[in-house]
Amino acid sequence: MTAAAWEIISGDGPLIAAAIHDGNAVRPNKKPLLALSDAARLTEQDPCTAFWATIAATRVVGKRSRFEFDLNRPREKAVYLHPADSWGLKVWHSELPSELVEESLRMYDEFYAEVEELIEALIVQHGHILIYDLHTYNHRRKGPYAEHDDAELNPEVNVGTGTMDRQRWANVVDRFLMDLREHDYLGRHLDVRENVKFFGGHFAKWIHQRFPEQVCVLSIEFKKFFMDEWTGGVDELQSTAIKSALAGTIAGVLSELKRL
C-alpha cells in the first residue's frame, strides 16, 4: 500500500526535493465514489514537480491525488469532505464512508512518520538539512480563455518562507532567491518573489516545528506559465529549463548551509 502512495528515495547529501502533490492516482476502493474526472483533478495538482525533484539525490514524491488525501494540509483537513475544502469542487458523489476516511488518515500518518525518520537520519549525517518543497499554482482560474491573473500578485516563482525562523535561515534563503533570479532562463530572468502568493503549507510548517534549528524548507511554487493548466499540456522546453534553474541554485545554498 505504501509503495503505491508515495516514494522516498534516499541518496547522498543534505538536500531533499519533495513533490508531494505530483500524483494523480486514486486507490480502487475510492475511485467509483469520485465525482471529479482525472482531468479535473490534474488541474489542481502539481505536474512536473517529480521531474524537477530529480535534481536531488534524496526525494519524496507523492503518487496519489491530493483529492484522496492531501499531504500538505493538517491531518483534520487532509481529506476533502465538502466543496469548501476543495476550491468549491464537488469531489465525491455522496458522503465518504468513515472507514475510507480513516484509511486515508492512516496512510497520512504513515507518510509523516517515514518523512520524520528520513529527516532524523540525514540530520545525524549532516547536521543541517535543506528541503526544496516543490509545487505549482494556477493563474487562469476564471477559465481557459480568460485573461491571466494579475502578474503583480502572481509571480512566476513564489518562495514561501512564512513557516520558518526567517532570521536564522536568512543566508540560505537570500542565496536561493538571488541565484534563481540571476539564472539565465531561456534568455531572460524569472520573476522570483517571496511570500507574495503563498507562505508555505502544512508540510513545511510541520517540519519547521519539529526541527526548527536543523531543517530549512523552501516552499517553491511555480506559476503554471510553463503549461496549460486547463488541458494539462506541458511545454517541455520550459519544464526542462525550470529544472535547470533549480539545479543551478544547489551549490550556492549548500555552501551557505555549511556555514551554519
Side-chain angles (χ1 to χ4, degrees):
M1 181 174 69
T2 300
W6 60 83
E7 182 178 29
I8 294 179
I9 301 167
S10 296
D12 295 330
L15 176 65
I16 300 172
I20 60 175
H21 280 164
D22 184 82
N24 193 37
V26 176
R27 64 184 186 269
N29 61 349
K30 265 191 167 183
K31 194 76 179 278
L33 305 177
L34 271 174
L36 290 177
S37 66
D38 286 356
R41 296 198 312 277
L42 183 63
T43 300
E44 297 296 346
Q45 291 164 176
D46 296 345
C48 299
T49 52
F51 169 61
W52 301 336
T54 58
I55 62 172
T58 300
R59 301 186 290 280
V60 177
V61 178
K63 298 292 189 178
R64 296 288 179 81
S65 171
R66 69 188 302 173
F67 289 96
E68 183 175 324
F69 56 98
D70 192 334
L71 296 170
N72 202 33
R73 292 196 181 180
R75 190 180 192 276
E76 66 273 14
K77 296 288 187 180
V79 179
Y80 306 162
L81 298 177
H82 310 287
D85 301 328
S86 49
W87 307 277
L89 298 172
K90 182 181 178 182
V91 179
W92 311 105
H93 287 299
S94 58
E95 185 175 349
L96 199 61
S98 60
E99 61 269 22
L100 293 185
V101 174
E102 290 304 315
E103 186 179 21
S104 289
L105 293 178
R106 285 194 298 271
M107 297 174 74
Y108 176 97
D109 292 340
E110 186 178 350
F111 169 81
Y112 272 92
E114 290 190 17
V115 169
E116 187 167 31
E117 183 178 348
L118 172 69
I119 291 172
E120 287 174 344
L122 289 177
I123 289 172
V124 170
Q125 294 179 48
H126 303 288
H128 296 97
I129 304 301
L130 178 64
I131 300 178
Y132 283 9
D133 176 26
L134 301 171
H135 298 272
T136 65
Y137 77 93
N138 295 332
H139 65 123
R140 296 168 58 200
R141 286 198 174 276
K142 296 177 183 177
Y145 307 108
E147 290 293 322
H148 293 183
D149 295 345
D150 185 355
E152 283 300 311
L153 303 176
N154 295 269
E156 289 178 311
V157 190
N158 182 102
V159 182
T161 61
T163 67
M164 69 170 68
D165 179 347
R166 180 62 169 80
Q167 184 175 356
R168 170 168 176 73
W169 301 104
N171 290 346
V172 174
V173 175
D174 292 343
R175 181 63 183 267
F176 176 82
L177 292 168
M178 180 184 72
D179 288 353
L180 192 59
R181 286 169 179 154
E182 293 184 354
H183 181 82
D184 182 351
Y185 178 82
L186 300 176
R188 66 179 184 85
H189 295 297
L190 290 165
D191 173 20
V192 182
R193 285 178 275 161
E194 185 179 358
N195 296 331
V196 175
K197 187 78 175 180
F198 304 99
F199 296 86
H202 177 74
F203 182 68
K205 182 178 180 180
W206 178 86
I207 294 170
H208 286 140
Q209 286 176 340
R210 276 163 175 72
F211 308 101
E213 302 295 318
Q214 297 89 12
V215 186
C216 174
V217 184
L218 298 175
S219 296
I220 308 163
E221 296 260 5
F222 282 87
K223 184 165 69 176
K224 291 183 179 177
F225 64 89
F226 62 92
M227 65 175 293
D228 186 322
E229 67 193 53
W230 288 94
T231 67
V234 174
D235 183 331
E236 299 295 344
L237 177 64
Q238 292 210 66
S239 178
T240 301
I242 288 172
K243 179 182 174 181
S244 297
L246 286 167
T249 66
I250 293 174
V253 293
L254 292 188
S255 70
E256 297 297 339
L257 197 69
K258 288 180 180 178
R259 295 193 178 108
L260 293 172

